[in-house]
Amino acid sequence: MSTKRAAAAAAAAALLAGRRFARRLYGTITILAVLTGALTAANLAKLPHPNATSMLPRSSASVDFALYTLQRDTGKDDAGVKKLDTIRGTSLSGSGESTAIVSAPRIQEYAALPSALAVVTINDDNTSSLEIVSLAGGPPTLVPLPSRGTVANLHAAGSKHLIGFTFTGTSTTDQYWKTLFVYDVDQPSSGPRAVQGINGAVSAADWRFVPDTATLVAQTDDRSMFLIDAQGTGKVSPLGTHAGILGFVPGTNELAVADPGLRKGIDPLRYSTINLTTGTPAPLTLAATFAPDPSNPVTNSAGQPLVLDGSGQYAQVVRKYDAGKETSAIVLTDKNGPRQFYQPAAEWSRLLDMCVSPARDYLAVETAPPQYAGDQYPVLPEPSPLRADLVDLKTGSVLKSVPGFLPSWCG
């Protein structure tokens, strides 16, 4: 048997094993539902099912990568079938290629845990499946969702083996609307659990795990923010009403938030930090944040500031549009003022987003070519192709570039 045929056979066997697991899991659900008259044969065919395939050989130990990225592929093979999306892992040392870990026809997003990846895949009817793929290889484990619907905003609290996500049901009578759930991968029999706020299950417009904890910050549609213990102790602490979550200030116990200027539409955004131990807010002074010059004929814009430490040092993507052409750069501002820190090569000149590594020594910067096509995914659509540049925060030099987006440091 050729190498390609052997690889294909192995992949098919892994996928079959995953489907057998799903049949066992939903077979149990089916028996219970038929007894109660809650599930019909037509509904059964639409239940979430595994789509992902592990591309790692089965091992007694998990692989360990410094960074993961998601590489979507909008191309088609010779038979006209869409090529597979891939989650890849890379190390910071050496110049070798990244390693393919998981593949599926359409991967929406993922989150990295110490020994597994949580992967949201898209079914043929655009509903979601959520799968746990071990970094030691083997078939994926399907997470039972509350109903048919869409998973979004997936994050992981790696130290606690928790993942969280929002879920919206497809039925107009479904009770779930951006409902926030947490799931412990070490206790799969418990299933996902809805996070409870002051008035019941939380409907989250945005949310994040507090680093290295099982606590989370959630923002509802009315912009109210809450600090919630995701382990179910019932502790909920209001954090006020704010325009948006900027992120957590590295090396501190503070959440950075944004609010509109005092004169909406006129004054620039205001920034604050909230001490998550006391709930006390304090103004966050970010010197020289970018503001467009109305007298300048060149159109300018900027991304939200990425706060790098407690001193107020931050990075910001600044974009200029002139005669239909876009140029982007990262501006780094510290106590000495702003300076252009990084500008990508011309063939990858569009900067989309960035985040800082856990050790605060590198930025992962998402870039795209000047001309690109959208992938038209139903949730989290992105330009294609994309790559991530790993930029040294001390020198501004690129350590390496890896294919894909959603670098795991941003999770």
Side-chain angles (χ1 to χ4, degrees), residues 84-372:
L84 297 177
D85 296 341
T86 309
I87 299 173
R88 311 186 71 87
T90 188
S91 63
L92 297 184
S93 60
S95 56
E97 293 286 329
S98 56
T99 301
I101 300 173
V102 180
S103 68
R106 289 191 297 172
I107 299 177
Q108 176 182 300
E109 56 191 299
Y110 74 97
L113 292 155
S115 59
L117 297 179
V119 183
V120 179
T121 59
I122 303 174
N123 300 315
D124 291 341
D125 63 355
N126 286 340
T127 60
S128 301
S129 287
L130 176 58
E131 303 166 62
I132 306 300
V133 182
S134 171
L135 292 173
T141 300
L142 192 67
V143 177
L145 298 175
S147 61
R148 287 178 56 233
T150 301
V151 171
N153 239 339
L154 176 71
H155 298 292
S159 63
K160 299 295 182 181
H161 307 285
L162 290 174
I163 61 170
F165 58 91
T166 59
F167 181 81
T168 299
T170 56
S171 170
T172 55
T173 59
D174 202 301
Q175 62 179 307
Y176 301 110
W177 169 253
K178 294 189 290 188
T179 305
L180 182 57
F181 284 85
V182 291
Y183 176 75
D184 190 335
V185 299
D186 286 348
Q187 298 180 2
S189 61
S190 299
R193 177 174 51 80
V195 174
Q196 299 299 310
I198 294 176
N199 298 311
V202 174
S203 178
D206 193 11
W207 77 277
R208 319 278 174 89
F209 277 115
V210 178
D212 302 320
T213 74
T215 303
L216 59 86
V217 171
Q219 182 181 34
T220 57
D221 282 330
D222 66 359
R223 297 187 172 185
S224 298
M225 289 188 189
F226 301 90
L227 183 69
I228 303 173
D229 184 350
Q231 297 284 48
T233 64
K235 184 177 181 180
V236 180
S237 302
L239 298 176
T241 301
H242 304 281
I245 299 173
L246 287 183
F248 299 95
V249 181
T252 73
N253 188 34
E254 296 179 340
L255 172 71
V257 297
D259 284 307
L262 296 177
R263 295 176 298 171
K264 292 184 179 180
I266 300 175
D267 293 336
L269 288 174
R270 296 172 293 147
Y271 303 105
S272 303
T273 58
I274 302 172
N275 185 301
L276 295 179
T277 301
T278 63
T280 305
L284 174 61
T285 302
L286 298 180
T289 50
F290 173 84
D293 181 357
S295 65
N296 191 334
V298 177
T299 302
N300 300 276
S301 69
Q304 70 177 25
L306 173 65
V307 182
L308 299 175
D309 57 37
S311 71
Q313 182 187 38
Y314 69 94
Q316 192 172 27
V317 175
V318 176
R319 306 177 184 90
K320 295 182 179 180
Y321 310 91
D322 191 7
K325 295 182 179 180
E326 176 186 332
T327 57
S328 303
I330 294 177
V331 173
L332 189 67
T333 304
D334 55 23
K335 61 183 180 181
N336 298 316
R339 59 186 172 90
Q340 182 168 300
F341 171 71
Y342 171 70
Q343 188 164 23
E347 60 269 26
W348 291 89
S349 61
R350 290 177 181 257
L351 298 183
L352 302 180
D353 204 356
M354 61 181 168
C355 61
V356 66
S357 66
R360 289 180 277 164
D361 47 1
Y362 293 99
L363 287 180
V365 183
E366 294 177 355
T367 69
Q371 304 296 327
Y372 57 76

Side-chain angles (χ1 to χ4, degrees), residues 71-86:
Q71 183 181 20
R72 290 179 179 168
D73 194 334
T74 58
K76 295 183 178 180
D77 61 20
D78 293 339
V81 177
K82 179 190 174 300
K83 294 182 178 180
L84 297 177
D85 296 341
T86 309

